[in-house]
């Protein structure tokens, strides 16, 4: 079977996290070269790089803080030098601080917005600026959350960052539509991994409550998120842009 993304390259932030790793593997399985970036040191990337090489795709890792615009530009340059023009970008890096509006410090609040919102802006703008220069088509996927539309009072900074990401995605989608660059957001509910796991480690009883609260009565796996992210980057898609792919098992219907 022909691989959907052969000879294309994707840039993924937060690529060493649970969802980031699954996304990297899902792109590789469709033949894409993979430029990984994360704040973690290079040695942490070795197992994933080996997995991607075993699948048979070119790959590259850069240690980068997405909240630093200049560092993001350098990451993109290094990725292009190694893998060629990047035509797909997945803005996935994020952090979460469990602290209500009157507990969170000013530093924690602005750090969360700098990483989750500014960081997504930096990488999406860097990649799409290059695509505009080259008059090339491409895809942007922002990894958002259903927390963008439901009040989560224990993680207000995270929720505000994801609400901002939603409007960033729509603004960018409108601006880039005439250039054939499709911009979309995926908004998962409770994923049994990563940031939710961080929350559940502090309150283990919450995990089963989350499953029971979800109308489909199942938590999401990182692989299920990854499959939808890849689908949003289908090069044949010329119409789905500015959309929110809500994959929350019906949570936001409640
Ligand atoms: N886990 C869930 O339930 C869930 C639900 C909805 C949305 N999401 C979203 O999925 C995405 C991935 O989250 P995850 O659950 O895999 O979490 P994770 O913690 O496993 O992954 C996040 C990754 O981002 C990296 N990172 C953090 N700060 C960074 C920075 N400044 N620069 C570069 N990299 C940085 C971390 O090192 C980590 O590898 C996030 O955008 C998150 O908001 C997760």
């Amino acid at each position: 079977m022909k691989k959907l993304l052969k000879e294309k390259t994707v840039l993924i932030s937060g690529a060493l996290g649970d969802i980031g790793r699954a996304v990297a593997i899902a792109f590789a399985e469709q033949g894409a070269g993979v430029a990984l970036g994360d704040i973690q040191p290079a040695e942490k990337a070795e197992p994933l790089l080996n997995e991607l090489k075993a699948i048979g795709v070119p790959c590259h890792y850069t240690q980068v803080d997405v909240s630093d615009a200049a560092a993001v530009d350098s990451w993109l340059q290094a990725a292009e030098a190694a893998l060629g023009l990047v035509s797909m970008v997945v803005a996935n890096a994020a952090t979460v601080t469990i602290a209500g509006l009157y507990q969170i410090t000013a530093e924690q609040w602005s750090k969360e917005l700098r990483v989750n919102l500014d960081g997504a802006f930096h990488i999406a703008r860097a990649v799409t600026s290059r695509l505009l220069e080259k008059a090339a088509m491409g895809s942007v996927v922002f990894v958002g959350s259903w927390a963008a539309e439901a009040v989560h009072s224990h993680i207000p900074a995270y929720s505000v960052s994801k609400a901002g990401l939603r409007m960033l995605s729509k603004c960018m989608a409108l601006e880039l539509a005439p250039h054939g660059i499709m911009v979309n957001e995926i908004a998962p509910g409770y994923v049994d991994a990563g940031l939710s796991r961080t929350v559940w480690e502090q309150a283990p009883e919450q995990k089963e409550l989350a499953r029971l609260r979800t109308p489909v009565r199942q938590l999401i796996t990182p692989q299920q998120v990854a499959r939808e992210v890849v689908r949003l980057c289908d090069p044949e898609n010329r119409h789905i842009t500015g959309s929110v792919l809500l994959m929350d098992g019906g949570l936001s219907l409640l």
Side-chain angles (χ1 to χ4, degrees):
M1 199 172 67
K2 186 172 172 290
K3 295 197 171 177
L4 189 68
L5 302 172
K6 206 163 164 17
E7 284 161 22
K8 297 194 177 296
T9 299
V10 62
L11 187 106
I12 305 167
S13 69
L16 300 186
D18 288 339
I19 293 174
R21 284 198 309 273
V23 168
I25 287 165
F27 273 97
E29 284 170 344
Q30 289 302 327
V34 188
L36 311 163
D38 200 289
I39 202 160
Q40 300 180 45
E43 59 269 21
K44 297 268 186 183
E46 284 306 321
L48 179 57
L49 287 169
N50 289 335
E51 233 179 302
L52 295 171
K53 284 176 197 153
I55 295 172
V57 295
C59 50
H60 182 267
Y61 180 74
T62 301
Q63 182 179 9
V64 61
D65 177 350
V66 292
S67 66
D68 177 343
V72 167
D73 287 342
S74 305
W75 171 26
L76 179 59
Q77 277 171 23
E80 269 197 28
L83 306 174
L85 184 71
V86 171
S87 63
M88 302 172 288
V89 53
V90 183
N92 169 71
T95 60
V96 65
T97 305
I98 306 165
L101 282 174
Y102 297 95
Q103 285 80 46
I104 194 163
T105 66
E107 290 71 28
Q108 287 171 320
W109 177 273
S110 45
K111 181 177 177 232
E112 198 125 317
L113 289 171
R114 281 202 311 275
V115 174
N116 299 6
L117 179 56
D118 301 0
F121 167 68
H122 297 322
I123 75 163
R125 191 170 68 159
V127 169
T128 54
S129 300
R130 286 288 289 148
L131 292 177
L132 290 173
E133 264 171 50
K134 298 268 176 193
M137 297 199 282
S139 313
V140 178
V141 179
F142 291 105
V143 182
S145 167
W146 75 292
E149 58 189 64
V151 176
H152 285 62
S153 42
H154 60 306
I155 48 170
Y158 178 82
S159 308
V160 168
S161 73
K162 294 297 182 181
L165 197 67
R166 183 153 301 175
M167 185 49 72
L168 168 62
S169 176
K170 288 175 190 283
C171 291
M172 197 172 266
L174 182 59
E175 190 122 354
L176 296 178
H179 303 278
I181 302 170
M182 304 287 107
V183 183
N184 291 290
E185 177 198 335
I186 186 162
Y190 294 118
V191 183
D192 188 7
L195 297 183
S196 286
R197 192 180 294 146
T198 310
V199 176
W200 293 330
E201 271 164 13
Q202 294 181 36
E205 70 291 351
Q206 290 299 323
K207 180 172 172 179
E208 181 59 4
L209 288 176
R211 188 184 72 76
L212 292 174
R213 195 180 303 137
T214 305
V216 300
R217 305 280 187 268
Q218 282 181 35
L219 301 174
I220 309 165
T221 66
Q223 291 72 24
Q224 288 168 331
V225 178
R227 195 178 57 210
E228 300 306 327
V229 171
V230 169
R231 239 199 277 266
L232 286 172
C233 293
D234 182 341
E236 290 188 7
N237 169 31
R238 302 265 52 89
H239 298 280
I240 302 170
T241 196
S243 74
V244 179
L245 179 57
L246 192 57
M247 60 174 307
D248 67 354
L251 271 168
S252 50
L253 302 172
L254 295 172

